[in-house]
């Protein structure tokens, strides 16, 4: 048979060398969609006069969108209209007044890297299939490890901080008792981990997922600022031992979700060393302070941790998701713990150094190159630019605190140590009332507690930003 | 204080209302990067004359790339050059001759959706922050559930099939014994799950991660085609019970990684019903056959499963990653199993129906809208277009099989039932030798076994594709 595109090859009713998809139409669609995205998302991202969200409740939004997938495809024009609708009704997380979550804003360099990623569509199990992205991940991990203060280490990017925390928990368990990988927990005494009452909810999710059980997460008391009390940690370790249970892990938090509290790592490390426990630091939110010479003291002692979770997708704006699990160990513990040695993927007789095939250190098989977007931002801004970003977030929080203090009807919960600013709005009807139990009962019925995180504030700070934003929640401001 | 951009506001040495990043430069960079991506990736994706990969071993590639992150940022020109280098040295998974993995090719519509996602940067925990994407996920899950053959069901998108399989395993364990969520596995008898010897390696990873232990994965024998033997399954269930262990789950595979085998679901479902075991089907690879009326018989009986993992990022080209875990239960088992009820995120007194806040069904906190890219493809092609895509992959495999049979020096391992085609290349020195033990010993020393999956083949099929591709691996063709 002569190869060639002219002679049709039929198999099972399919013309193999016939047109499959309309390539030209597809290319044109991508081009037009990019133009739309540039206009409707990127160029409007910094425009404070645009809406954060065109809010519609679920039932109405379902009417407004054409969600149904049909037997035949839609026209290009219809598809572009759909793209427009998706953008129109989506929350603009890039908007200067998007305050809802632990991230916000648009980093142009990370965005470019993310579009490259989508176009190349890599999966980073092995070097042969993702050479560039695996070297980039190696370089980024090395720099992050330096920031933590370790001379060397290991690590892996995971799909989010919750997964990084889970992976750390599993790693600590493996170090404690490698047999569990094969034999499981059945028949063993209860394993106990300790974390503060203010920790992220992923600790409980992880304990349940890993078969440890949420009851075996012992919550250590916190002080008035939400920081773990090391004395109570030690007390609870002794107590767990007395119960016949087996402590194996302490999870400290650097930057709690609500108060932005930093656990005292040095003192906690002392306790861990005394008891031979793995110290994991969930710095998913607070880790970014490590790049600021001025503010990294908040994480003093982090170099004594055995593992650290840190999400550059939060304050450093790398894009959802970008979460590193960093590990101090250099004896290949991560690989020993996670590897399943699938022979179809991780052959040992390749024509290059297979230590670059790092995919077997992950719980995932297909894995996205999340380090790449952070690398591009770091390249674009330099370490000094990242530092400025963090310092600015701190300064914005400080500014908000000062404004809250000046303004009637606002009550600061406490002086922040990080960029979380917690405060109450006091409705006019309660402003003259004494701050007794009745006041607090009424307040929590009538209004909500606000948390603003500095870096979320309008980039061109404006003393009215807060009040203007709150007008969008009239129901709570009665 | 008068709001305004002219009066500088200084806090902690930071000018709050001064320029933070150069917005115009950033926008220009995204525009130029998009142009580059369009030219170097999208427009070249179908060009068979381009290289699949500009191969460099790790040490050399590290020299060629400027990986280091410095204290100060790089110029825009330098950054664009970096983007160019990243693209140049990356494997083109869109290339017609990219055969390495279980996915390939470029879907223009999914790509557009992925770029929208990156620009909007959503995270889909709650409706208020991701209204469109949560409705899209609901719509896509509903259609996929229909494809499985259930009237209703539940589900969640996960970062890959390995995670979907893990989540199914945890869900089956929760159904078996809800107390494990709180109490853990300590002190319980061994829990046992059954899967075939040909299953994906994520089963072992999951068993180890969930604290079940890899030894408690019982591997059921397979027949000559790699299909689970139901009689051996039943035998092993009895055996586990005799050992005092507790069977709780059977994981069948629809489309094994190497042979593309489909376990006999109907017979396995019989066994599961008889023994009260959860049936999970790992259809990460084979699930796509469900959209083909001609080929969905391969998954006959799948409607009897309790859960199904299915990755549209494989044959349906939705982009890495797109993996759904589908669940038959409608009693909110998924939510009960996974919820941690974080009060800062999943408040119950919102101003809309909070059943749309589906994030608490996931092991993740931040979560990407992976359903959206598949939705866009489905909208663009229609169900009939997806079906064509699948039928074409089958036809291409059939064509490859016919060519292998015709050609000297090639030996088909077996007639495929899916799109995996396994064959040997026989070097000239072995072609006259008898097929005894000595032949096989020498063959496996000298060459490798090839697996081609139909959909990976050049879209304009050409009878020489295979030989040309193999020329890039001269070492194995001696």
């Amino acid at each position: 048979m002569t190869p060639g595109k002219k002679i049709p090859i039929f198999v099972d009713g399919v013309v193999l060398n016939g047109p499959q998809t309309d390539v030209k139409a597809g290319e044109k669609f991508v081009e037009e969609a990019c133009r739309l995205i540039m206009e409707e998302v990127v160029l409007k991202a910094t425009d404070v006069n645009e809406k954060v969200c065109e809010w519609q409740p679920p039932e109405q939004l379902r009417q407004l969108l054409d969600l149904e997938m049909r037997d035949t495809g839609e026209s290009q024009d219809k598809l572009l209209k759909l793209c427009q609708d998706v953008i129109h009704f989506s929350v603009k997380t890039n908007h200067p007044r998007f305050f809802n979550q632990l991230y916000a804003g648009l980093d142009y360099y990370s965005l470019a890297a993310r579009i490259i990623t989508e176009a190349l569509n890599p999966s980073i199990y092995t070097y042969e299939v993702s050479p560039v992205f695996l070297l980039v991940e190696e370089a980024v991990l090395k720099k992050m490890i330096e920031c933590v203060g370790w001379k060397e280490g290991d690590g892996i990017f995971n799909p989010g901080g919750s997964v990084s925390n889970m992976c750390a928990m599993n790693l600590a368990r493996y170090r404690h008792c490698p047999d569990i990988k094969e034999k499981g927990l059945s028949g063993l005494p209860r394993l106990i981990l300790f974390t503060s009452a203010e920790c992220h909810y992923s600790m409980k999710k992880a304990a349940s997922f890993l078969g440890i059980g949420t009851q075996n997460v012992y919550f250590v008391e916190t002080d008035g600022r939400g920081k773990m009390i090391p004395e109570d940690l030690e007390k609870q370790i002794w107590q767990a031992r007395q119960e016949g249970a087996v402590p194996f892990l302490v999870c400290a938090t650097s930057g709690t979700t609500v108060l932005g509290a930093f656990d005292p790592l040095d003192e906690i490390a002392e306790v861990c060393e005394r008891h031979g426990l793995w110290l994991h630091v969930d710095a998913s939110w607070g880790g970014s302070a490590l790049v600021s010479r001025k503010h990294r003291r908040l994480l003093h002692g982090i170099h004594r941790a055995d593992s650290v979770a840190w999400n550059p997708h939060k304050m450093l704006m790398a894009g959802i998701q970008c979460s590193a699990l960093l590990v101090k160990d250099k004896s290949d513990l991560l690989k020993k713990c996670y590897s399943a040695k699938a022979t179809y993927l991780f052959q040992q007789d390749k024509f290059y150094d297979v230590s670059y095939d790092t995919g077997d250190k992950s719980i995932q098989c297909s894995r996205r190159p999340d380090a790449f977007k952070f690398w591009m931002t770091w390249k674009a801004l330099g370490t000094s630019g990242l530092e400025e970003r963090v310092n600015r977030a701190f300064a914005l929080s400080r500014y908000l605190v000062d404004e809250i203090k000046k303004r009637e009807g606002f009550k600061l919960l406490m002086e922040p140590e990080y960029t979380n600013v917690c405060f109450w709005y006091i409705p006019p009807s309660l402003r003259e009332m004494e701050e007794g139990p009745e006041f607090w009962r009424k307040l929590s019925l009538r209004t909500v507690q606000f948390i603003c995180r500095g870096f979320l504030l309008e980039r061109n700070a404006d003393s009215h930003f807060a009040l203007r934003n709150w007008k969008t929640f009239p129901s709570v401001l009665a």
Side-chain angles (χ1 to χ4, degrees), chain A:
Chain A
M1 191 189 289
T2 319
K5 296 182 180 180
K6 300 277 162 70
I7 304 162
I9 307 174
F10 273 100
V11 178
D12 282 350
V14 176
V15 185
L16 291 192
N17 53 353
Q20 187 188 15
T21 44
D22 186 338
V23 169
K24 285 291 154 221
E27 290 168 354
K28 187 163 163 269
F29 182 73
V30 174
E31 246 164 356
E32 286 182 5
C34 279
R35 209 165 11 244
L36 181 73
I37 294 162
M38 205 62 209
E39 274 167 31
E40 296 299 317
V41 189
V42 179
L43 298 180
K44 288 184 180 171
T46 49
D47 187 348
V48 80
N49 298 310
E50 293 289 327
K51 282 189 178 176
V52 176
C53 172
E54 185 65 54
W55 171 263
Q56 294 288 344
E59 301 69 26
Q60 277 87 324
L61 185 55
R62 199 184 283 110
Q63 302 300 317
L64 290 163
L65 293 170
D66 174 23
L67 290 165
E68 200 191 330
M69 292 101 94
R70 305 190 177 80
D71 196 49
T72 52
E74 312 280 356
S75 71
Q76 300 267 35
D77 286 348
K78 179 72 197 292
L79 292 171
L80 274 176
K81 173 68 171 61
L82 280 173
C83 291
Q84 212 155 13
D85 288 347
V86 165
I87 293 170
H88 182 67
F89 290 109
S90 283
V91 173
K92 310 299 181 297
T93 68
N94 302 321
H95 193 283
R97 293 202 182 122
F98 174 71
F99 301 96
N100 189 283
Q101 306 294 340
L102 285 152
Y103 75 99
L106 175 59
D107 180 282
Y108 299 100
Y109 305 94
S110 135
L111 176 59
R114 282 136 62 192
I115 300 174
I116 291 174
T117 298
E118 294 305 335
L120 288 172
N121 199 26
S123 183
I124 58 169
Y125 359 67
T126 61
Y127 181 84
E128 68 196 331
V129 81
S130 267
V132 176
F133 298 115
L134 279 171
L135 291 186
V136 165
E137 185 174 48
E138 180 190 61
V140 174
L141 286 171
K142 190 164 172 285
K143 277 300 245 195
M144 292 177 84
I145 282 166
E146 273 174 31
C147 289
V148 168
W150 299 331
K151 284 212 177 60
E152 46 178 6
D154 199 358
I156 194 94
F157 274 79
N158 291 302
S162 293
V163 176
S164 286
N165 285 334
M166 277 186 189
C167 288
M169 200 178 282
N170 185 44
L171 192 62
R173 178 170 72 180
Y174 180 78
R175 207 272 313 253
H176 167 73
C177 173
D179 275 2
I180 292 172
K181 181 175 178 180
E182 290 174 10
K183 294 187 179 163
L185 293 168
S186 160
L188 291 182
R190 282 186 300 131
L191 291 181
I192 306 292
L193 66 106
F194 305 85
T195 187
S196 90
E198 296 284 322
C199 76
H200 189 253
Y201 73 97
S202 56
M203 291 300 158
K204 279 175 79 172
K205 282 216 176 188
S208 115
F209 201 63
L210 268 61
I212 289 169
T214 53
Q215 287 178 357
N216 297 314
V217 182
Y218 282 18
F219 291 105
V220 179
E221 278 181 32
T222 55
D223 65 17
R225 301 197 57 85
K227 292 162 175 286
M228 187 189 282
I229 301 174
E231 293 73 22
D232 189 58
L233 169 62
E234 186 130 35
K235 205 177 93 184
Q236 295 216 30
I237 294 170
W238 284 117
Q239 200 175 316
R241 292 230 162 97
Q242 279 187 324
E243 293 165 5
V246 181
F248 77 108
L249 168 66
V250 175
C251 292
T253 313
S254 288
T256 59
T257 314
V258 176
L259 296 173
F262 286 76
D263 288 341
L265 299 182
D266 248 331
E267 292 162 80
I268 293 170
E270 293 289 340
V271 178
C272 289
E273 281 165 22
R274 220 161 24 238
H275 292 270
L277 303 182
W278 183 282
L279 174 57
H280 172 66
V281 178
D282 177 8
S284 294
W285 168 225
S288 300
L290 288 169
V291 300
S292 163
R293 282 162 294 183
K294 191 168 177 182
H295 298 292
R296 60 167 290 135
R297 58 175 173 70
L298 287 169
L299 298 105
H300 191 258
I302 195 165
H303 63 284
R304 299 171 72 176
D306 296 289
S307 58
V308 172
W310 172 7
N311 292 5
H313 74 228
K314 295 191 160 84
M315 196 180 285
L316 297 175
M317 302 165 72
I320 301 282
Q321 288 155 329
C322 186
S323 171
L325 172 63
L326 309 171
V327 181
K328 185 155 61 186
D329 168 273
K330 272 297 285 180
S331 72
D332 235 7
L333 194 71
L334 197 56
K335 194 161 184 185
K336 286 176 201 154
C337 174
Y338 283 97
S339 68
K341 296 178 182 154
T343 50
Y344 81 93
L345 197 55
F346 301 107
Q347 300 94 345
Q348 296 302 299
D349 59 350
K350 289 180 183 168
F351 50 94
Y352 61 86
D353 176 359
V354 293
S355 72
Y356 287 93
D357 291 357
T358 52
D360 215 14
K361 293 181 185 178
S362 169
I363 59 163
Q364 299 184 281
C365 178
S366 298
R367 198 162 66 90
R368 294 171 56 88
D370 291 330
F372 174 53
K373 47 194 174 185
F374 184 36
W375 177 78
M376 189 60 87
T377 298
W378 205 326
K379 281 298 235 184
L381 305 186
T383 311
S384 60
L386 296 181
E387 183 175 29
E388 257 174 57
R389 192 167 273 182
V390 172
N391 289 348
R392 184 178 180 78
F394 274 87
L396 283 164
S397 313
R398 176 47 45 199
Y399 176 74
L400 175 61
V401 167
D402 294 344
E403 287 298 310
I404 286 171
K405 286 179 181 171
K406 278 185 221 162
R407 201 167 296 218
E408 198 194 8
F410 295 94
K411 189 177 168 53
L412 191 70
L413 205 74
M414 65 175 73
E415 285 291 331
E417 67 173 330
Y418 195 36
T419 60
N420 307 40
V421 180
C422 297
F423 58 94
W424 292 92
Y425 170 72
I426 318 283
S429 56
L430 293 179
R431 286 189 197 160
E432 302 303 314
M433 208 172 155
E434 212 185 325
E435 280 189 27
E438 185 59 14
F439 169 86
W440 288 108
R441 196 188 61 80
K442 282 197 166 161
L443 186 64
S444 52
L445 275 178
R446 298 286 297 282
T447 183
V448 295
Q449 182 188 313
F450 291 90
I451 312 162
C452 268
R453 300 173 186 99
F455 81 110
L456 305 176
L457 306 188
E458 198 167 323
R459 260 75 43 99
N460 288 309
D462 156 350
S463 59
H464 283 256
F465 78 92
L467 272 177
R468 285 216 304 258
N469 183 56
W470 295 340
K471 281 194 189 137
T472 61
F473 298 100
S475 61
V476 297
L477 299 179

